[in-house]
């Protein structure tokens, strides 16, 4: 789970950012917990009392304890370098004063869905989060499987089947969504209906692969050249 704090004395700004974060979580099938604060003092006291957040969207222009002071106290008084701080402001004149806080990013209001998405993407990438997990929705719940448990994905109409040693799990989705989540993690797209975990491919042929459980899956003509280059790269690494 990713825990994100939002701190701004404008209720509307907090609500907007929170909704954008939740939209991102739904789109990416991630479990994200948000908490809203309207003052720097309350946010800092919560962190000081050992409540942990991975990421903070923090307004600079706060009354009394402003965002820069909050950031400095997190870094210097608490010695916490793990929390990623994203400053938000309606002005662009704070770059030098933020240097000591080492923020992840600096966003200018009004905040957009695009900038929120890019910021969380950056946080996940820099912290290597979720790199070994696959997340998906079943009903209103978010499910997770470790990637190394998955043999292959198969498309069956509007449903995606996840084949593992424990059986088959089905959820509504698209192969494009699956491909984006497993990109660069040892999975090969061999057909518009199949994405396989290369670790479980036991036999490779020109037009098919055999999985370690004995299942034979076709390689469509569109992906044969790509598969050949994947195998060449695999042999080079070995």
């Amino acid at each position: 789970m990713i825990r994100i704090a939002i701190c701004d004395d404008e209720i509307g700004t907090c609500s907007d950012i929170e909704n954008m974060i939740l939209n991102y979580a739904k789109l990416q099938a991630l479990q994200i917990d948000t908490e809203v604060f309207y003052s720097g003092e309350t946010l800092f006291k919560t962190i000081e009392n050992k409540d942990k957040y991975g990421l903070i969207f923090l307004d600079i222009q706060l009354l009394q304890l402003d965002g820069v002071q909050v950031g400095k106290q997190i870094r210097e008084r608490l010695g916490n370098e793990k929390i990623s701080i994203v400053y938000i402001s309606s002005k662009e004149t704070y770059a030098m004063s933020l240097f000591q806080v080492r923020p992840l990013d600096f966003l200018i209001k009004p905040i957009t869905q695009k900038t929120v998405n890019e910021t969380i993407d950056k946080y996940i990438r820099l912290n290597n989060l979720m790199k070994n997990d696959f997340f998906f929705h079943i009903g209103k719940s978010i499910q997770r499987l470790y990637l190394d448990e998955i043999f292959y994905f198969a498309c069956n109409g509007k449903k995606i089947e996840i084949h593992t040693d424990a059986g088959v799990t089905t959820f509504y989705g698209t192969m494009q969504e699956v491909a984006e989540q497993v990109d660069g993690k040892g999975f090969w797209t061999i057909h518009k209906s199949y994405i396989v975990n290369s670790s479980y491919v036991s036999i490779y042929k020109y037009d098919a692969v055999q999985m370690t459980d004995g299942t034979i899956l076709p390689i469509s003509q569109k992906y044969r050249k790509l598969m050949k280059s994947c195998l060449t790269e695999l042999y080079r690494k070995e």
Side-chain angles (χ1 to χ4, degrees):
M1 177 191 289
I2 301 173
R3 299 196 66 211
I4 300 178
I6 305 158
C7 184
D8 196 301
D9 52 13
E10 297 178 356
I11 296 175
T13 299
C14 288
S15 178
D16 289 344
I17 294 175
E18 185 173 34
N19 287 332
M20 291 174 193
I21 292 171
L22 295 177
N23 287 340
Y24 175 91
K26 184 177 181 181
L27 181 67
Q28 299 296 330
L30 293 176
Q31 193 169 0
I32 298 179
D33 181 45
T34 59
E35 190 165 358
V36 172
F37 299 87
Y38 300 111
S39 74
E41 295 88 344
T42 306
L43 171 63
F44 181 75
K45 286 179 182 177
T46 304
I47 295 172
E48 191 177 29
N49 290 332
K50 309 302 181 185
D51 210 346
K52 297 181 180 179
Y53 302 99
L55 178 63
I56 302 174
F57 285 83
L58 179 58
D59 185 31
I60 290 179
Q61 293 98 359
L62 296 170
L63 297 175
Q64 297 182 29
L65 194 64
D66 66 31
V68 176
Q69 293 172 316
V70 173
K72 286 183 178 179
Q73 291 204 32
I74 289 172
R75 297 293 190 237
E76 297 170 7
R77 181 171 164 184
L78 301 182
N80 189 319
E81 294 288 343
K82 291 184 178 181
I83 295 177
S84 294
I85 299 173
V86 176
Y87 279 115
I88 54 179
S89 174
S90 56
K91 301 178 181 180
E92 300 184 25
T93 56
Y94 291 94
M96 293 305 296
S97 62
L98 303 181
F99 180 76
Q100 290 181 315
V101 180
R102 299 170 290 284
L104 175 71
D105 214 335
F106 178 69
L107 306 180
I108 300 297
K109 296 180 181 179
I111 308 301
T112 67
Q113 183 71 63
K114 182 175 183 292
T115 56
V116 168
N117 292 356
E118 290 174 347
T119 299
I120 302 176
D121 279 343
K122 183 178 181 180
Y123 167 73
I124 290 174
R125 184 174 67 254
L126 291 177
N127 289 276
N128 291 319
L129 300 177
M130 315 308 177
K131 62 181 180 180
N132 296 317
D133 303 320
F134 182 80
F135 292 88
F136 56 98
H137 284 281
I138 294 182
K140 294 183 179 180
S141 66
I142 297 175
Q143 307 287 321
R144 181 185 74 172
L145 285 173
Y146 292 114
L147 289 177
D148 59 11
E149 295 178 316
I150 299 172
F151 293 171
Y152 64 94
F153 298 90
C155 180
N156 184 3
K158 294 182 179 180
K159 294 182 178 181
I160 303 296
E161 298 174 352
I162 307 176
H163 291 255
T164 69
D165 191 43
V168 179
T169 302
T170 303
F171 70 98
Y172 286 97
T174 68
M175 293 301 272
Q176 178 62 33
E177 293 168 347
V178 172
E180 289 173 359
Q181 200 174 154
V182 303
D183 182 44
K185 298 175 182 178
F187 284 76
W188 297 337
T189 299
I190 62 170
H191 189 282
K192 67 179 182 179
S193 297
Y194 299 106
I195 296 176
V196 302
N197 187 339
S198 60
S199 298
Y200 290 102
V201 174
S202 60
I203 299 175
Y204 166 78
K205 297 180 181 180
Y206 174 70
D207 59 354
V209 293
Q210 181 172 316
M211 309 302 291
T212 53
D213 66 353
T215 303
I216 297 175
L217 301 173
I219 303 174
S220 67
Q221 187 171 358
K222 176 182 178 181
Y223 293 101
R224 288 171 188 170
K225 186 176 181 180
L226 177 61
M227 278 295 297
K228 186 176 181 180
S229 65
C230 287
L231 285 166
T232 301
E233 183 65 24
L234 183 63
Y235 291 144
R236 283 176 181 169
K237 290 180 181 179
E238 293 178 347

